[in-house]
Amino acid sequence: MKKIALTSLMAVFAVSAANAATNYFVGGSAAIATDKEHTSVLSVAPEFGWKYNANWDFGVAANLGWDHKLMNTKFGVDGDAYGYGAGVFARYKVAQFGDVKLLLKGGADIDFVTYSPEHGDSETTTSIDAGIIPMVTYDISESVTLYANLNFLGVYAGYQFKNDHIGIDEGWRIGAGVNADNVANSSNFQVGFTYNF
């Protein structure tokens, strides 16, 4: 009797683990922007998520980036800006055409940017951001999905915290990105993949 109970219990755990394993994914996206001289923006965003059902995904992601021109654009000095942060996201399937899906991705995160001028001390700013963007996915197989985040079509809101040392005031930012100029060379066009367990 003990052997039957133990075998049944192990079978239940195995089936549960098999079902749970098919509900998770790992992956991430990357973006790059260049000009005539060199690469000026690079960003990567690793992610881990859970497929709740056929329409909804939830997950967490990190944001890592480097911008060579932001210091000059914002403050008129040479240097590099390094971004990093983490957040949560939810994705909803709006439509499906075979293996191609159109989704809306909503997310919220906390972001930090460290400004490192060539001469002088580094300073870090903090912001809390949220937004909704469309994304397109393509299932290569049951395990691998390619996707593109269309950030240039999204809406966003964020709160920037004050940093007196570099003259950044606190306040809200709200806007929409509807700009398709130079999309192929835009850091707002992120391409990525997920591996589905």
Side-chain angles (χ1 to χ4, degrees):
M1 186 69 169
K2 288 182 180 178
K3 287 183 180 180
I4 293 174
L6 183 59
T7 304
S8 300
L9 188 60
M10 289 176 63
V12 168
F13 282 137
V15 170
S16 298
N19 287 336
T22 60
N23 291 332
Y24 296 96
F25 59 88
V26 295
S29 59
I32 189 170
T34 61
D35 56 25
K36 293 178 181 178
E37 300 171 6
H38 45 61
T39 299
S40 60
V41 178
L42 175 66
S43 65
V44 293
E47 64 184 38
F48 172 78
W50 170 53
K51 292 182 176 293
Y52 176 69
N53 58 31
N55 295 324
W56 284 97
D57 298 340
F58 301 95
V60 295
N63 307 304
L64 307 168
W66 164 78
D67 193 320
H68 182 65
K69 299 234 168 160
L70 185 59
M71 284 288 297
N72 198 286
T73 302
K74 202 161 192 153
F75 307 111
V77 296
D78 290 331
D80 294 307
Y82 303 94
Y84 46 97
V88 295
F89 65 85
R91 304 189 306 201
Y92 177 73
K93 182 177 72 177
V94 177
Q96 182 168 354
F97 310 96
D99 292 328
V100 177
K101 299 172 190 166
L102 175 64
L103 292 83
L104 286 178
K105 179 179 181 180
D109 47 64
I110 183 167
D111 294 305
F112 306 91
V113 178
T114 297
Y115 297 97
S116 297
E118 288 186 357
H119 306 288
D121 297 329
S122 297
E123 287 288 339
T124 300
T125 62
T126 306
S127 64
I128 297 174
D129 301 288
I132 299 173
I133 61 166
M135 62 184 296
V136 178
T137 70
Y138 176 73
D139 294 328
I140 294 179
S141 67
E142 288 185 5
S143 298
V144 180
T145 300
L146 293 179
Y147 68 84
N149 287 328
L150 309 180
N151 295 356
F152 55 91
L153 294 176
V155 294
Y156 65 88
Y159 186 81
Q160 177 73 56
F161 291 92
K162 188 173 187 176
N163 186 312
D164 288 328
H165 297 287
I166 51 179
I168 292 180
D169 293 326
E170 61 183 333
W172 288 96
R173 303 182 317 270
I174 299 173
V178 186
N179 183 2
D181 292 343
N182 200 15
V183 169
N185 192 40
S186 172
S187 59
N188 287 329
F189 183 75
Q190 290 177 301
V191 178
F193 77 96
T194 59
Y195 183 83
N196 310 300
F197 292 96

mmCIF file of all heavy atoms in Angstrom, residues 18-48:
data_model
loop_
_atom_site.group_PDB
_atom_site.id
_atom_site.type_symbol
_atom_site.label_atom_id
_atom_site.label_comp_id
_atom_site.label_asym_id
_atom_site.label_seq_id
_atom_site.Cartn_x
_atom_site.Cartn_y
_atom_site.Cartn_z
ATOM 1 N N ALA A 18 5.876 18.783 -15.040
ATOM 2 C CA ALA A 18 5.874 18.871 -16.505
ATOM 3 C C ALA A 18 4.970 20.000 -16.975
ATOM 4 O O ALA A 18 5.314 20.756 -17.874
ATOM 5 C CB ALA A 18 5.422 17.539 -17.107
ATOM 6 N N ASN A 19 3.801 20.133 -16.353
ATOM 7 C CA ASN A 19 2.895 21.213 -16.735
ATOM 8 C C ASN A 19 3.461 22.569 -16.370
ATOM 9 O O ASN A 19 3.350 23.524 -17.116
ATOM 10 C CB ASN A 19 1.525 21.028 -16.064
ATOM 11 C CG ASN A 19 0.741 19.889 -16.693
ATOM 12 O OD1 ASN A 19 0.971 19.544 -17.841
ATOM 13 N ND2 ASN A 19 -0.166 19.302 -15.936
ATOM 14 N N ALA A 20 4.073 22.653 -15.207
ATOM 15 C CA ALA A 20 4.639 23.935 -14.768
ATOM 16 C C ALA A 20 5.810 24.335 -15.651
ATOM 17 O O ALA A 20 6.012 25.502 -15.940
ATOM 18 C CB ALA A 20 5.082 23.841 -13.319
ATOM 19 N N ALA A 21 6.581 23.326 -16.097
ATOM 20 C CA ALA A 21 7.779 23.629 -16.878
ATOM 21 C C ALA A 21 7.430 24.284 -18.208
ATOM 22 O O ALA A 21 8.216 25.033 -18.745
ATOM 23 C CB ALA A 21 8.586 22.361 -17.112
ATOM 24 N N THR A 22 6.265 23.981 -18.733
ATOM 25 C CA THR A 22 5.900 24.552 -20.029
ATOM 26 C C THR A 22 5.376 25.982 -19.901
ATOM 27 O O THR A 22 5.058 26.601 -20.899
ATOM 28 C CB THR A 22 4.823 23.683 -20.708
ATOM 29 O OG1 THR A 22 3.662 23.644 -19.861
ATOM 30 C CG2 THR A 22 5.318 22.276 -20.954
ATOM 31 N N ASN A 23 5.287 26.487 -18.693
ATOM 32 C CA ASN A 23 4.690 27.802 -18.485
ATOM 33 C C ASN A 23 5.708 28.918 -18.285
ATOM 34 O O ASN A 23 5.313 30.062 -18.072
ATOM 35 C CB ASN A 23 3.747 27.774 -17.280
ATOM 36 C CG ASN A 23 2.508 26.950 -17.551
ATOM 37 O OD1 ASN A 23 2.087 26.828 -18.685
ATOM 38 N ND2 ASN A 23 1.941 26.374 -16.510
ATOM 39 N N TYR A 24 6.988 28.628 -18.315
ATOM 40 C CA TYR A 24 8.001 29.636 -18.023
ATOM 41 C C TYR A 24 8.867 29.918 -19.244
ATOM 42 O O TYR A 24 9.011 29.086 -20.132
ATOM 43 C CB TYR A 24 8.886 29.181 -16.847
ATOM 44 C CG TYR A 24 8.102 29.050 -15.569
ATOM 45 C CD1 TYR A 24 7.609 27.821 -15.162
ATOM 46 C CD2 TYR A 24 7.842 30.169 -14.782
ATOM 47 C CE1 TYR A 24 6.879 27.704 -13.993
ATOM 48 C CE2 TYR A 24 7.111 30.064 -13.617
ATOM 49 C CZ TYR A 24 6.629 28.825 -13.229
ATOM 50 O OH TYR A 24 5.896 28.725 -12.081
ATOM 51 N N PHE A 25 9.459 31.130 -19.266
ATOM 52 C CA PHE A 25 10.353 31.467 -20.363
ATOM 53 C C PHE A 25 11.468 32.386 -19.863
ATOM 54 O O PHE A 25 11.310 33.106 -18.881
ATOM 55 C CB PHE A 25 9.599 32.128 -21.519
ATOM 56 C CG PHE A 25 8.879 33.403 -21.166
ATOM 57 C CD1 PHE A 25 9.513 34.638 -21.242
ATOM 58 C CD2 PHE A 25 7.556 33.376 -20.754
ATOM 59 C CE1 PHE A 25 8.857 35.814 -20.914
ATOM 60 C CE2 PHE A 25 6.879 34.545 -20.435
ATOM 61 C CZ PHE A 25 7.535 35.769 -20.514
ATOM 62 N N VAL A 26 12.594 32.319 -20.534
ATOM 63 C CA VAL A 26 13.715 33.223 -20.286
ATOM 64 C C VAL A 26 14.138 33.793 -21.631
ATOM 65 O O VAL A 26 13.881 33.203 -22.682
ATOM 66 C CB VAL A 26 14.925 32.524 -19.610
ATOM 67 C CG1 VAL A 26 14.573 32.033 -18.224
ATOM 68 C CG2 VAL A 26 15.443 31.385 -20.476
ATOM 69 N N GLY A 27 14.774 34.928 -21.595
ATOM 70 C CA GLY A 27 15.237 35.526 -22.838
ATOM 71 C C GLY A 27 15.672 36.951 -22.621
ATOM 72 O O GLY A 27 16.166 37.305 -21.550
ATOM 73 N N GLY A 28 15.465 37.768 -23.622
ATOM 74 C CA GLY A 28 15.851 39.162 -23.513
ATOM 75 C C GLY A 28 15.947 39.809 -24.869
ATOM 76 O O GLY A 28 15.774 39.163 -25.908
ATOM 77 N N SER A 29 16.190 41.110 -24.833
ATOM 78 C CA SER A 29 16.266 41.878 -26.066
ATOM 79 C C SER A 29 17.488 42.774 -26.052
ATOM 80 O O SER A 29 18.106 43.006 -25.010
ATOM 81 C CB SER A 29 15.000 42.728 -26.244
ATOM 82 O OG SER A 29 14.839 43.611 -25.148
ATOM 83 N N ALA A 30 17.836 43.281 -27.221
ATOM 84 C CA ALA A 30 18.973 44.183 -27.360
ATOM 85 C C ALA A 30 18.653 45.234 -28.411
ATOM 86 O O ALA A 30 17.819 45.020 -29.291
ATOM 87 C CB ALA A 30 20.232 43.403 -27.760
ATOM 88 N N ALA A 31 19.308 46.378 -28.293
ATOM 89 C CA ALA A 31 19.136 47.457 -29.265
ATOM 90 C C ALA A 31 20.467 48.174 -29.434
ATOM 91 O O ALA A 31 21.282 48.232 -28.515
ATOM 92 C CB ALA A 31 18.057 48.435 -28.797
ATOM 93 N N ILE A 32 20.656 48.718 -30.617
ATOM 94 C CA ILE A 32 21.897 49.443 -30.899
ATOM 95 C C ILE A 32 21.572 50.612 -31.821
ATOM 96 O O ILE A 32 20.660 50.532 -32.644
ATOM 97 C CB ILE A 32 22.949 48.508 -31.544
ATOM 98 C CG1 ILE A 32 24.302 49.191 -31.629
ATOM 99 C CG2 ILE A 32 22.476 48.016 -32.902
ATOM 100 C CD1 ILE A 32 25.432 48.254 -32.023
ATOM 101 N N ALA A 33 22.275 51.716 -31.642
ATOM 102 C CA ALA A 33 22.143 52.864 -32.540
ATOM 103 C C ALA A 33 23.547 53.340 -32.899
ATOM 104 O O ALA A 33 24.441 53.359 -32.061
ATOM 105 C CB ALA A 33 21.354 53.992 -31.876
ATOM 106 N N THR A 34 23.727 53.695 -34.153
ATOM 107 C CA THR A 34 25.034 54.140 -34.615
ATOM 108 C C THR A 34 24.893 55.463 -35.365
ATOM 109 O O THR A 34 23.800 55.852 -35.769
ATOM 110 C CB THR A 34 25.670 53.106 -35.564
ATOM 111 O OG1 THR A 34 24.825 52.946 -36.703
ATOM 112 C CG2 THR A 34 25.842 51.771 -34.877
ATOM 113 N N ASP A 35 26.017 56.134 -35.510
ATOM 114 C CA ASP A 35 26.054 57.308 -36.375
ATOM 115 C C ASP A 35 27.217 57.135 -37.345
ATOM 116 O O ASP A 35 27.779 56.045 -37.455
ATOM 117 C CB ASP A 35 26.166 58.604 -35.557
ATOM 118 C CG ASP A 35 27.376 58.585 -34.630
ATOM 119 O OD1 ASP A 35 28.349 57.852 -34.931
ATOM 120 O OD2 ASP A 35 27.354 59.294 -33.615
ATOM 121 N N LYS A 36 27.617 58.182 -38.025
ATOM 122 C CA LYS A 36 28.688 58.068 -39.012
ATOM 123 C C LYS A 36 30.026 57.735 -38.374
ATOM 124 O O LYS A 36 30.924 57.200 -39.017
ATOM 125 C CB LYS A 36 28.804 59.374 -39.806
ATOM 126 C CG LYS A 36 27.602 59.656 -40.686
ATOM 127 C CD LYS A 36 27.752 60.970 -41.409
ATOM 128 C CE LYS A 36 26.526 61.256 -42.268
ATOM 129 N NZ LYS A 36 26.610 62.549 -42.956
ATOM 130 N N GLU A 37 30.175 58.066 -37.100
ATOM 131 C CA GLU A 37 31.467 57.868 -36.437
ATOM 132 C C GLU A 37 31.584 56.494 -35.783
ATOM 133 O O GLU A 37 32.544 55.779 -35.960
ATOM 134 C CB GLU A 37 31.683 58.958 -35.386
ATOM 135 C CG GLU A 37 31.683 60.359 -35.966
ATOM 136 C CD GLU A 37 31.684 61.431 -34.886
ATOM 137 O OE1 GLU A 37 31.801 61.074 -33.710
ATOM 138 O OE2 GLU A 37 31.563 62.609 -35.239
ATOM 139 N N HIS A 38 30.561 56.120 -34.993
ATOM 140 C CA HIS A 38 30.661 54.882 -34.223
ATOM 141 C C HIS A 38 29.326 54.567 -33.560
ATOM 142 O O HIS A 38 28.352 55.317 -33.680
ATOM 143 C CB HIS A 38 31.755 55.000 -33.155
ATOM 144 C CG HIS A 38 31.694 56.297 -32.404
ATOM 145 N ND1 HIS A 38 30.610 56.692 -31.657
ATOM 146 C CD2 HIS A 38 32.589 57.318 -32.307
ATOM 147 C CE1 HIS A 38 30.826 57.868 -31.121
ATOM 148 N NE2 HIS A 38 32.022 58.284 -31.508
ATOM 149 N N THR A 39 29.304 53.467 -32.836
ATOM 150 C CA THR A 39 28.138 53.120 -32.041
ATOM 151 C C THR A 39 27.946 54.152 -30.949
ATOM 152 O O THR A 39 28.899 54.533 -30.269
ATOM 153 C CB THR A 39 28.322 51.724 -31.412
ATOM 154 O OG1 THR A 39 28.460 50.780 -32.458
ATOM 155 C CG2 THR A 39 27.143 51.344 -30.539
ATOM 156 N N SER A 40 26.718 54.621 -30.768
ATOM 157 C CA SER A 40 26.475 55.636 -29.749
ATOM 158 C C SER A 40 25.533 55.165 -28.647
ATOM 159 O O SER A 40 25.528 55.738 -27.564
ATOM 160 C CB SER A 40 25.918 56.907 -30.391
ATOM 161 O OG SER A 40 24.703 56.631 -31.048
ATOM 162 N N VAL A 41 24.716 54.139 -28.919
ATOM 163 C CA VAL A 41 23.798 53.642 -27.901
ATOM 164 C C VAL A 41 23.765 52.117 -27.971
ATOM 165 O O VAL A 41 23.707 51.542 -29.054
ATOM 166 C CB VAL A 41 22.361 54.183 -28.110
ATOM 167 C CG1 VAL A 41 21.416 53.603 -27.068
ATOM 168 C CG2 VAL A 41 22.332 55.699 -28.050
ATOM 169 N N LEU A 42 23.813 51.486 -26.810
ATOM 170 C CA LEU A 42 23.700 50.034 -26.726
ATOM 171 C C LEU A 42 22.871 49.708 -25.492
ATOM 172 O O LEU A 42 23.113 50.260 -24.424
ATOM 173 C CB LEU A 42 25.081 49.382 -26.617
ATOM 174 C CG LEU A 42 25.110 47.873 -26.401
ATOM 175 C CD1 LEU A 42 24.546 47.148 -27.619
ATOM 176 C CD2 LEU A 42 26.528 47.409 -26.108
ATOM 177 N N SER A 43 21.874 48.841 -25.639
ATOM 178 C CA SER A 43 21.070 48.443 -24.489
ATOM 179 C C SER A 43 20.710 46.970 -24.585
ATOM 180 O O SER A 43 20.542 46.433 -25.678
ATOM 181 C CB SER A 43 19.791 49.283 -24.391
ATOM 182 O OG SER A 43 18.949 49.046 -25.495
ATOM 183 N N VAL A 44 20.627 46.324 -23.425
ATOM 184 C CA VAL A 44 20.201 44.928 -23.335
ATOM 185 C C VAL A 44 19.209 44.813 -22.186
ATOM 186 O O VAL A 44 19.280 45.569 -21.216
ATOM 187 C CB VAL A 44 21.385 43.961 -23.121
ATOM 188 C CG1 VAL A 44 22.283 43.923 -24.328
ATOM 189 C CG2 VAL A 44 22.171 44.320 -21.871
ATOM 190 N N ALA A 45 18.275 43.862 -22.308
ATOM 191 C CA ALA A 45 17.238 43.693 -21.290
ATOM 192 C C ALA A 45 16.924 42.207 -21.114
ATOM 193 O O ALA A 45 16.032 41.674 -21.777
ATOM 194 C CB ALA A 45 15.983 44.467 -21.674
ATOM 195 N N PRO A 46 17.650 41.517 -20.226
ATOM 196 C CA PRO A 46 17.313 40.117 -19.941
ATOM 197 C C PRO A 46 15.989 40.029 -19.191
ATOM 198 O O PRO A 46 15.620 40.950 -18.448
ATOM 199 C CB PRO A 46 18.483 39.641 -19.069
ATOM 200 C CG PRO A 46 19.056 40.880 -18.482
ATOM 201 C CD PRO A 46 18.813 41.987 -19.469
ATOM 202 N N GLU A 47 15.266 38.921 -19.392
ATOM 203 C CA GLU A 47 13.958 38.795 -18.755
ATOM 204 C C GLU A 47 13.650 37.353 -18.371
ATOM 205 O O GLU A 47 14.214 36.412 -18.920
ATOM 206 C CB GLU A 47 12.861 39.317 -19.681
ATOM 207 C CG GLU A 47 12.702 38.527 -20.953
ATOM 208 C CD GLU A 47 11.669 39.128 -21.904
ATOM 209 O OE1 GLU A 47 11.597 40.371 -22.004
ATOM 210 O OE2 GLU A 47 10.944 38.349 -22.542
ATOM 211 N N PHE A 48 12.755 37.215 -17.408
ATOM 212 C CA PHE A 48 12.242 35.913 -16.980
ATOM 213 C C PHE A 48 10.740 36.053 -16.810
ATOM 214 O O PHE A 48 10.270 37.045 -16.228
ATOM 215 C CB PHE A 48 12.881 35.477 -15.653
ATOM 216 C CG PHE A 48 12.256 34.246 -15.065
ATOM 217 C CD1 PHE A 48 12.570 33.001 -15.563
ATOM 218 C CD2 PHE A 48 11.338 34.345 -14.031
ATOM 219 C CE1 PHE A 48 11.985 31.857 -15.032
ATOM 220 C CE2 PHE A 48 10.749 33.209 -13.491
ATOM 221 C CZ PHE A 48 11.073 31.959 -13.987
#
